[in-house]
Amino acid sequence: MTELFEPVGDHDWRIATTATGLLADFNAAGVLTSSDIHVASRIGALGDEADESVLLAVALAVRAVRRGSVCLDLATVRETAPELAWPDDWETAIAGSSLVAAGVVRWELGLLYLDRYHRLETQVHDDLGVRLAQDAPVVDEARLDAAVAKVRAGHFSPEQEAAVVAAVRRRTTILTGGPGTGKTTTVARLLALLADQAGGGLAIALAAPTGKAATRLQEAVVTELDAVAATWPEAPGLVGRLDGLTLHRLLGWRPDNATRFRHDRSNRLKYDVVVVDESSMVELTMMGRLLEALRPESRLILVGDPRQLTSVGAGAVLSDLVAGFEGRPDSPVAALTENFRSESDIKALAAALRDGDADDVLAVLRSPSEQVSFVEAADDAAIEEALRPDSVAAARAVWQAATDEDPARALAELDRYRLLCAHREGPYGVRRWNSLVERWLAEDPEVDVYGQWYVGRPLLVTSNDYALDVYNGETGVVVRQAGRPRAFVAGSERLKEFAPGRLDAVETMHAMTIHKSQGSQADRVTVLLPDAGSRLLTRELFYTAATRARHHVRVVGSEAAVRAAVETRAQRATGLRLRLAGR
């Protein structure tokens, strides 16, 4: 089963009173919103297009972008509402439209694009093509052989060694693999080899879509380089400084500038090597800005798991790159498959999810284990009974550290347990569970959760604030300091302290959405599945949630919800993989 779009929420679905014909029918059925119809009508007016079948396609293309697709796939869109009367000979009407002739929308590969997204997708494709067509970097093979022998210490498999050796010979590398496959180990050793080839002095950026992911990458690479130093003492010094930062900071976001980023084709990045972790979260627009800001001779290393959830914005760039380069002789993809995790049952659950076998997933969940557990609960009382003990214990541990005026410990406690939900609203949503955990915590006579900025409140930053140097996805805690509440946020370089009132775009994080959890991990994770009818339930969502756990994952929900998640793929319409494959 394939879901092309997420559902339209009640806040989003409105009757467009001026719509007629096909647009009115699709609006009344909940397929289109009034905003979709408004944009399509405006585009039609600009291009002098009155054919309602063409306007329907444009409205659906607008909706597709809002739902994360780059374009509208006419071959599959009928699956969203097969009961409706879809236009006949639709492709002919679109191809002959004045909108296509004027370039207002683009019709290519059987896909309908809004012009902006067509330009973005072709730019990403073309920039990657230019990078791959460059002459390969000059490599001192004898020096490389000697350095490879030095980095074999610890857990470094032949598969990882082959990946780093191939990457040394490329300017662009896409390193993929699931949790536990040693992606960071591979990156650290690759950086050591690149620095050795250059004789040191490389400018290296370790970037990620969120501050939390950038921090985790920087810390992990430094730890791995320390391990390499056991057999190659000079390696950390050769690599030198590592700048861990968000992609927005890397590119120099400037809200006062019409170009939005300081770095572009006319002002390239200074870095010799740019590593981007959690690349599955990078949307098409950001990938385009990154590629145009890189110097042609710079190394680009994209790291991620293509089976995770895709970006919040439009596109599925990492999975498109992996699929599009498959079978190509010049493919820059290096896939890591060997899992080094000691948590064998979490590995088994992840493997079953990747394979898409619901029976195997349920078998793993139901097998007695210290690493994986399944609470089959569907009614509110049973779910609350299952979630309350761990949620309260985790919240109280954070509160205790915050009360003890220990921000580092409070943030560490925050990463010991995580409650993940698919939804933001409703009975399975984070808003409800944040409220419930606060209510349960308040029942403890020692704990004071009065007011917005109570001591021990866990925080999630929800948008970038460049003036304060805080970024979407970073986490924090309100901590007592000298009798006053202060907010500490874990940034990519240091703990950042603020007067609470200065932080506008934050929310409570006793629970968080699975989308927001990308780029982070916790020792123990509880995944609350919604009911089987939720259209947010997908295999990618379930896989992402389960693989956030380092040591234990507990799934709370029904068998029907598990089956619905495993059997539903989150598929986005794009043309990038087709372009890369030469179709």
Side-chain angles (χ1 to χ4, degrees):
M1 182 165 57
T2 297
E3 285 296 345
L4 297 179
F5 305 116
E6 294 176 6
V8 177
D10 291 339
H11 66 287
D12 197 27
W13 184 84
R14 298 183 299 274
I15 294 293
T17 54
T18 58
T20 59
L22 278 175
L23 293 177
D25 293 342
F26 278 71
N27 180 216
V31 175
L32 294 175
T33 68
S34 61
S35 59
D36 300 328
I37 294 170
H38 175 73
V39 173
S41 299
R42 291 280 295 171
I43 291 174
L46 289 172
D48 196 26
E49 177 60 70
D51 188 322
E52 64 175 12
S53 69
V54 174
L55 297 181
L56 173 63
V58 174
L60 289 167
V62 173
R63 183 181 192 269
V65 169
R66 287 197 299 105
R67 302 300 187 185
S69 290
V70 176
C71 53
L72 178 70
D73 184 353
L74 261 70
T76 59
V77 70
R78 289 175 172 85
E79 297 172 15
T80 61
E83 73 281 2
L84 293 178
W86 292 83
D88 295 324
D89 203 17
W90 208 4
E91 291 83 354
T92 301
I94 293 170
S97 167
S98 61
L99 297 179
V100 172
V104 178
V105 296
R106 303 290 182 138
W107 173 244
E108 187 181 3
L109 304 171
L111 306 170
L112 182 66
Y113 294 82
L114 303 180
D115 179 60
R116 174 174 182 265
Y117 289 93
H118 183 269
R119 285 186 284 110
L120 273 170
E121 186 175 275
T122 53
Q123 179 231 312
V124 168
H125 171 266
D126 293 347
D127 282 348
L128 283 169
V130 169
R131 291 188 64 82
L132 292 177
Q134 293 181 92
D135 291 338
V138 176
V139 176
D140 184 331
E141 295 293 344
R143 187 166 187 144
L144 177 60
D145 289 343
V148 168
K150 296 175 183 177
V151 300
R152 287 185 177 131
H155 296 291
F156 196 57
S157 68
E159 183 180 59
Q160 291 171 304
E161 180 177 318
V164 298
V165 169
V168 168
R169 299 191 175 104
R170 298 178 184 140
R171 298 199 186 279
T172 302
T173 297
I174 302 168
L175 182 66
T176 68
T181 54
K183 295 189 295 293
T184 306
T185 298
T186 305
V187 167
R189 284 157 174 76
L190 172 57
L191 294 178
L193 297 183
L194 292 175
D196 182 60
Q197 286 284 315
L202 290 178
I204 300 173
L206 301 178
T210 67
K212 187 73 172 178
T215 301
R216 194 161 63 93
L217 175 63
Q218 185 177 27
E219 292 172 347
V221 169
V222 169
T223 299
E224 288 296 333
L225 287 172
D226 288 342
V228 171
T231 54
W232 189 6
E234 300 83 8
L238 276 172
V239 173
R241 177 178 170 180
L242 298 168
D243 292 342
L245 63 177
T246 64
L247 281 169
H248 280 82
R249 282 191 64 194
L250 172 71
L251 295 173
W253 173 270
R254 295 182 63 179
D256 60 330
N257 189 308
T259 61
R260 303 177 75 83
F261 290 108
R262 187 168 65 252
H263 295 289
D264 53 22
R265 295 193 198 280
S266 63
N267 181 26
R268 307 275 188 165
L269 291 165
K270 65 180 181 181
Y271 292 102
D272 302 300
V273 182
V274 175
V275 181
V276 181
D277 198 14
E278 299 293 345
S279 293
S280 64
M281 299 169 62
V282 180
E283 62 188 30
L284 182 67
T285 300
M286 183 61 75
M287 187 61 73
R289 300 291 79 82
L290 172 64
L291 289 171
E292 69 179 11
L294 288 171
R295 289 181 291 132
E297 66 272 20
S298 296
R299 307 267 190 159
L300 173 63
I301 305 161
L302 300 176
V303 185
D305 184 349
R307 294 182 178 88
Q308 285 189 19
L309 282 168
T310 51
S311 59
V312 173
V317 179
L318 182 63
S319 60
D320 279 349
L321 295 182
V322 172
F325 281 118
E326 186 176 5
R328 282 182 51 166
D330 62 345
S331 173
V333 178
L336 301 179
T337 59
E338 184 178 353
N339 196 315
F340 299 100
R341 268 188 167 175
S342 58
E343 290 81 4
S344 58
D345 294 331
I346 295 178
K347 281 198 295 188
L349 178 59
L353 284 167
R354 285 195 300 269
D355 293 342
D357 191 315
D359 290 333
D360 283 354
V361 170
L362 286 163
V364 175
L365 289 174
R366 287 170 171 158
S367 298
S369 169
E370 294 181 357
Q371 301 161 16
V372 176
S373 58
F374 183 30
V375 179
E376 297 191 55
D379 63 274
D380 286 352
I383 293 173
E384 288 187 25
E385 182 181 358
L387 298 189
R388 177 167 180 160
D390 281 349
S391 297
V392 172
R396 201 184 194 289
V398 173
W399 169 83
Q400 187 64 64
T403 302
D404 293 342
E405 305 193 9
D406 191 339
R409 193 175 107 225
L411 286 161
E413 290 292 347
L414 199 59
D415 285 339
R416 296 192 194 283
Y417 176 78
R418 196 66 41 84
L419 171 59
L420 301 181
C421 306
H423 292 265
R424 289 188 54 80
E425 307 290 343
Y428 301 96
V430 294
R431 189 182 299 276
R432 177 184 181 227
W433 290 98
N434 277 324
S435 178
L436 276 174
V437 174
E438 284 182 336
R439 192 183 78 193
W440 293 334
L441 195 59
E443 293 174 7
D444 187 329
E446 291 187 76
V447 180
D448 181 5
V449 295
Y450 178 76
Q452 180 183 8
W453 298 105
Y454 61 85
V455 172
R457 180 191 176 196
L459 304 173
L460 176 67
V461 178
T462 57
S463 68
N464 299 321
D465 188 325
Y466 302 94
L468 294 182
D469 192 32
V470 295
Y471 299 91
N472 185 25
E474 292 184 334
T475 56
V477 178
V478 178
V479 179
R480 180 179 295 157
Q481 294 282 283
R484 298 180 304 157
R486 302 286 289 178
F488 285 83
V489 175
S492 58
E493 297 173 346
R494 69 191 191 286
L495 285 183
K496 294 171 283 193
E497 180 180 357
F498 303 97
R502 296 187 67 195
L503 296 174
D504 292 329
V506 293
E507 60 186 35
T508 302
M509 199 190 75
H510 292 297
M512 71 188 305
T513 64
I514 297 168
H515 267 96
K516 288 287 187 181
S517 74
Q518 287 183 274
S520 66
Q521 285 191 303
D523 292 344
R524 296 179 302 113
V525 167
T526 294
V527 182
L528 175 59
L529 295 179
D531 61 53
S534 169
R535 294 181 67 190
L536 290 185
L537 266 182
T538 64
R539 190 187 308 169
E540 290 81 0
L541 186 91
F542 196 177
Y543 174 85
T544 300
T547 55
R548 297 311 88 203
R550 294 190 188 97
H551 305 305
H552 183 267
V553 58
R554 176 178 57 165
V555 176
V556 178
S558 65
E559 176 181 331
V562 171
R563 291 189 179 278
V566 175
E567 293 166 2
T568 304
R569 298 299 305 272
Q571 183 173 313
R572 290 184 170 185
T574 81
L576 183 57
R577 68 181 63 190
L578 299 178
R579 298 178 195 280
L580 290 169
R583 292 185 222 169

